[in-house]
Amino acid sequence: MSIVFNEKSQTFHLFNSKISYIMGVLPNGHMGQLYFGKRIHQKEDYTYLLEMVPRSMGSYVFEGKRTLSLEHVKQEYGVYGSSDYRFPAVEILQENGSRISDFCYKSHTVTDGKPKLPGLPATYTEKDEEAQTLILTLEDKVTGIELQLLYTLFAGDGVIARSARFINRGGSAVHLLKAMSLCMDLPDCEYDWVQFSGAWARERHMKVRRLEKGIQSVGSTRGHSSHEHNPFVILKRPRTDDLQGEAIGFGLVYSGNFLAQAEVDTHDTTRVILGIHPESFDWKLEPGEEFQTPEAVMVYTDRGMNDMSQVFHRLYQKRLARGYWRDRVRPILINNWEATYMDFNEEKLLRIAETAKECGIELFVLDDGWFGARRDDTAGLGDWKANTELLPDGITGIAQKIEDMGMKFGLWFEPEMVNKNSDLYREHPDWILAVPGRSHSQGRYQHVLDFSRKEVVDYIYESMAEILGNAKVSYVKWDMNRSITECYSGALPADRQGEVFHRYILGVYDLYERLTSAFPEVLFESCASGGARFDPGLLYYAPQGWTSDDTDAVERLKIQYGTSYCYPISSIGAHVSASPNHQVMRDTPLSTRANVACFGTFGYELDLNRLSAEEQEEVKRQVEFMKRYRELLQFGTFYRLKSPFEGDGNITAWMVVSEDRKKAIVGWYKILNGVNMPYMRLKLRGLDPDREYAVREEGEAQGKDCGSFYGDELMNAGMVTTDTSAGDAMPGMHQGRDFDSRIFVLG
Ligand code: DGJ
């Protein structure tokens, strides 16, 4: 890993064994983008990559010379209006009304390791030798604004983390209207754009389309990263798939409004932009003030999207997530939400917990409905005090009773919200986000607390810390159940209202930081009506997230498959729920529900007392299986094998392989059964070709011996998964059915 600056050619080459990233100072002092891709040789000069040919209708920077047009060169951090007409990375409104800026290279530093981004989540290093950081300092002479572009190159993997920092060293205030985390121009447009989109309970479905001329983008203006789109996109070559080919993944370590965009210009170059959504963003920068953008992470691979995902998984699991739980297998939990909703009392909860304990479950999570006047979703949010009619000895009491059973206790909060029917709102009606004199929209009968105000965050911190400090709470589920409307803070002046969305998220991060520091051994799970804030920003504080409110095993195949493109299995909250399923009313086998959920942070979300004795026995076996294999499932190398988004999507398959390649687990899922179906073989990945693996089928098959095969056989000839639905039922053959699944353990 190295960052080399060539003084003569004014070029920077960032490289490790996998990638090269090359930039050069343009003749006008701006930064030009020369190359990002597979590692190439280190040379003194790459300026031949700057193609400055005169073109008709171009606008040119230098008087009398038709060479440098910013529209026609590939840039690092594009500006609009001084010969570039593409969407810019930066827009600054100045005292005289101008929005033109001219950031020119001034100096740079290279340091080992990676600096922290104040107040923001970001990837990090534990040892200096893990990464090097280049900080380019640029200056806009007219305003005196300094722009620092930060690039961290990680050793070993094809990753670069980028962000931008603005420092007002001038004499007047300015307004940042666009301040993107990443902007880069790629030399061609032969890419597919891949986004992960959906809706509540249908998150992160993979959508692929060819890049076209003009702008294509996804984003959120809802105040959270959203169910609708994830702050993660991929540009892949049209022939690239999970197993081979070039791809670049772009992720934003942020939980609020975002924009991810690709613009193909008339000469077939592609500008990628990622950062805070400019809609509603207006950050006032007084002289002496600084603004730091969130971090963007880019991963390049020429070995397919599994390889790209594995790089994201390693980075996010080990150098974005933090704390006590980062490297620990996650407790198997039972959550009472789909078991009782808000219709519970302590006795009912303890009955569920007792059966859970008998099944080997380790953590009981009490979900929504335990506090204040909350008996349905119209009341109580904001009053974080136990309802003693339901829980006579409060949270301390029930937590102790669960501990006495030999389980851990977890608790649900929705810290950012308030119902009008609450003591908190009655006392502080001015603490919500609302525009004075206008009506304020509600969502799920609730309003959003103004987390841009320190006293609000302080108050919520105190209420939560009081419970976490007094009761034996080992886990917190942090929910967020509505988007933000009428985003206005009563505490900020008119010319700072464009800061509220971002200040709100900074308030959320501040509360997370304080709680996770004060209670370092508490496991935090993020949640926002399921997966509305399943983003890298929250992974920094909460190493796992509730992936979706849809707990149906079949629906979960697409959701978890899509999620896996960026996020590690150890972050994917997945539960076995009741059948028929509460979201889609589908009946699926108990085994399939567990076979899907075990590729995640496994748990149950149903009343186990309503299961038959045989089903409870099956649950015990599932829990034992998970305990035996969770290290491998949650921390192994994950490979997608067969996509539910391709073809008829009837078969999905994925697998994990241990670091030493001695063990692997394969999950195979079939939605609808068929008659006289084709023969089926599944080509496995990541195995040691020369190792002989004993293959056992677990789950319902309970350890059936499937024979021994070399890794090269399993990866090239494939594992036979044809079942009896292919023809007549044959003794010893797997009996197929609708919503079928199989788990194979290789070792
Ligand atoms: C939405 C979450 O995603 C659910 O799991 C549950 O916690 C409810 N909120 C409770 O209101």
Side-chain angles (χ1 to χ4, degrees), residues 335 337 342 367-368 374 412 414 444 477 479 481 527-530 546 548-549 605:
N335 177 304
W337 181 243
M342 291 190 217
D367 211 280
D368 193 357
R374 189 115 168 133
W412 179 96
E414 193 173 359
R444 205 196 183 192
K477 178 176 173 186
D479 207 345
N481 283 303
C527 171
S529 290
W546 183 224
S548 175
D549 270 352
E605 185 149 343

Side-chain angles (χ1 to χ4, degrees), residues 372-385:
R374 189 115 168 133
R375 293 314 299 136
D376 58 33
D377 51 13
T378 63
L381 287 174
D383 298 341
W384 301 110
K385 292 220 162 34

Side-chain angles (χ1 to χ4, degrees), residues 64-219:
K65 275 196 203 159
R66 290 179 66 203
T67 47
L68 180 63
S69 165
L70 293 177
E71 182 182 12
H72 296 142
V73 289
K74 289 164 263 308
Q75 294 176 64
E76 272 305 294
Y77 206 70
V79 292
Y80 165 81
S82 46
S83 77
D84 192 352
Y85 301 99
R86 291 168 290 179
F87 195 97
V90 53
E91 186 177 357
I92 300 176
L93 176 61
Q94 298 145 48
E95 220 182 5
N96 64 0
S98 160
R99 294 164 190 232
I100 303 290
S101 55
D102 185 25
F103 283 103
C104 297
Y105 169 77
K106 195 175 157 204
S107 62
H108 72 271
T109 57
V110 175
T111 49
D112 288 339
K114 182 171 190 293
K116 283 193 162 183
L117 305 188
L120 283 166
T123 56
Y124 59 89
T125 50
E126 285 194 337
K127 294 190 198 113
D128 274 354
E129 56 268 31
E130 290 176 8
Q132 277 193 317
T133 299
L134 165 70
I135 302 183
L136 293 176
T137 299
L138 284 69
E139 186 188 32
D140 177 54
K141 282 221 164 75
V142 172
T143 56
I145 307 287
E146 181 175 306
L147 165 61
Q148 295 182 353
L149 298 178
L150 285 76
Y151 300 80
T152 296
L153 170 71
F154 284 85
D157 277 328
V159 185
I160 290 185
R162 285 186 57 179
S163 70
R165 185 180 297 154
F166 294 85
I167 306 163
N168 188 348
R169 299 200 190 282
S172 323
V174 295
H175 286 259
L176 290 180
L177 303 179
K178 292 187 181 79
M180 306 310 283
S181 302
L182 169 153
C183 169
M184 71 176 306
D185 294 339
L186 296 165
D188 68 87
C189 64
E190 295 293 308
Y191 289 101
D192 282 346
W193 162 271
V194 187
Q195 66 188 55
F196 297 87
S197 300
W200 171 78
R202 186 164 43 77
E203 296 89 344
R204 288 174 295 288
H205 281 211
M206 183 182 190
K207 308 277 175 200
V208 184
R209 63 175 182 275
R210 197 62 194 269
L211 272 192
E212 253 310 336
K213 286 212 168 46
I215 285 180
Q216 36 259 287
S217 71
V218 292

Side-chain angles (χ1 to χ4, degrees), residues 24 39 48 71 95 339 377 404 460 480 587 613 656 692 713:
R39 161 79 193 268
Y48 68 91
E71 182 182 12
E95 220 182 5
D377 51 13
D404 292 345
I460 297 294
M480 195 269 187
D587 274 308
V656 286
E692 203 173 348
E713 290 180 84

